[in-house]
Amino acid sequence: MTVLVFLDPRHPEGRIADAAAPALLATDLGATRGDGVFESMLAVGGQPRKMGAHLDRLAASAHTLELDSPDRGAWERAVATALSEHLLRAGTGEAVVKLLLTRGAEGSDAPTAWVSVSPVPAGARERSSQGLAVVLLDRGYDSTLAERAPWLLLGAKTLSYAVNMAALRYAKANGADDAIFTSSDGKVLEGPTSTVILAVEEDGVKTLLTPELESGILPGTTQRALFDAAEAAGWALGYGPLEPVHLMEADAVWLVSSIRLLAPVTSIDGTPISSSPALTEELTALLHEAL
Ligand SMILES: Cc1ncc(COP(=O)(O)O)c(C=O)c1O
């Protein structure tokens, strides 16, 4: 049950399309080259969560790729159209809202832009809340590359996710549930579809830590919302650089993202690490309040 709404200047509220029928030209550069950007956000009861942060990141990704994006209002109207159509067809359950933007068909200078809404896959969050076995995978570049090599588009949410999906398959083929990328200089980066967060308590000070954006990771909207809420609740915050030893010695480690929210990591490369159901509960409650 997927609802598709194309952004189309002739349809200011967005043009609803049949998700079971062909809708893109086979020459669309998003399909042929992965040349485009996207966002995935959660909607609850027909209301998008953190839409402002997702639209900001979409605009930043589009800017990095020098892609023209429809204006914010056009995205907002298409999302509203797609969510009300999804409410009619599928009811009020949680939904995944994707915003997609490609460079358009070969030879045209018009980008292709659409919104899709589909139900959150059943059981995905419940399964990951049980705890994830994670493997560390080498991403093959050092943590200072982003600044030196802007053409690599590090930190943009591009449609070229084949590597991220391959990393997840590799993790699963090796008995794990998920992966954390590391840099060639030994720094912790991010998961293929998530941000890494860890908690440590020292001398009574509770701190949340995450890798620094300068290492070329995607700026996570869930991490940002959680950090803002945690800071207001008295937590200290820190931003990398982090190494695997910090994960092994933390009080708790999570992979966080918009759809799955906080997923506790329970082992790394087969070694059990400390986790804390109480902290997961506390931070999940803070995140729910913030969303
Ligand atoms: C590479 C990567 N890092 C982090 C995230 C988490 O981002 P957000 O919290 O905005 O969903 C994602 C989300 O899909 C991702 O693909």
Side-chain angles (χ1 to χ4, degrees):
M1 157 52 57
T2 297
V3 172
L4 276 191
V5 174
F6 278 80
L7 279 72
D8 181 336
R10 289 161 302 172
H11 298 260
E13 304 306 314
R15 170 172 55 80
I16 297 178
D18 180 354
L24 280 186
L25 288 177
T27 56
D28 194 287
L29 291 163
T32 58
R33 290 196 170 148
D35 194 356
V37 298
F38 76 109
E39 282 296 317
S40 294
M41 66 184 170
L42 183 67
V44 180
Q47 296 302 315
R49 295 285 159 99
K50 315 188 247 86
M51 181 144 78
H54 286 284
L55 288 175
D56 287 348
R57 191 170 64 188
L58 185 75
S61 298
H63 179 75
T64 304
L65 271 73
E66 299 175 50
L67 255 184
D68 277 338
S69 178
D71 66 41
R72 227 176 153 87
W75 284 110
E76 285 166 350
R77 291 192 299 278
V79 167
T81 300
L83 280 171
S84 35
E85 189 65 20
H86 192 261
L87 268 185
L88 285 177
R89 295 191 205 170
T92 57
E94 291 189 343
V96 181
V97 181
K98 290 197 173 159
L99 314 181
L100 298 112
L101 173 68
T102 80
R103 203 172 296 280
E106 250 169 62
S108 104
D109 51 10
T112 312
W114 72 98
V115 172
S116 81
V117 179
S118 49
V120 171
R125 191 177 304 148
E126 289 65 29
R127 274 194 300 282
S128 56
S129 68
Q130 313 284 311
L132 301 174
V134 162
V135 283
L136 299 179
L137 299 182
D138 184 356
R139 205 172 208 174
Y141 51 72
D142 74 70
S143 61
T144 66
L145 184 64
E147 203 177 327
R148 282 184 283 121
W151 57 89
L152 290 179
L153 309 176
L154 300 179
K157 196 164 168 72
T158 77
L159 283 173
S160 311
Y161 256 48
V163 166
N164 303 45
M165 297 299 107
L168 284 178
R169 284 195 303 276
Y170 184 91
K172 285 177 186 158
N174 285 277
D177 304 301
D178 213 315
I180 293 177
F181 288 122
T182 54
S183 61
S184 58
D185 52 339
K187 305 292 185 260
V188 173
L189 296 173
E190 61 189 343
T193 63
S194 59
T195 310
V196 177
I197 288 181
L198 54 90
V200 288
E201 180 164 357
E202 229 172 54
D203 302 328
V205 180
K206 294 196 323 183
T207 305
L208 285 182
L209 294 155
T210 196
E212 71 285 13
L213 291 180
E214 292 73 17
S215 61
I217 58 172
L218 187 77
T221 62
T222 313
Q223 172 270 322
R224 185 70 266 151
L226 178 62
F227 270 39
D228 289 347
E231 188 173 38
W235 284 75
L237 306 177
Y239 301 88
L242 297 173
E243 297 183 357
V245 63
H246 297 115
L247 303 178
M248 307 309 289
E249 291 176 355
D251 296 328
V253 178
W254 298 270
L255 296 184
V256 308
S257 58
S258 296
I259 311 300
R260 208 166 47 170
L261 305 177
L262 272 104
V265 175
T266 46
S267 74
I268 295 183
D269 286 344
T271 303
I273 61 165
S274 164
S275 58
S276 163
L279 281 179
T280 301
E281 202 178 310
E282 176 184 340
L283 294 174
T284 301
L286 279 177
L287 185 60
H288 277 296
E289 279 168 35
L291 294 182

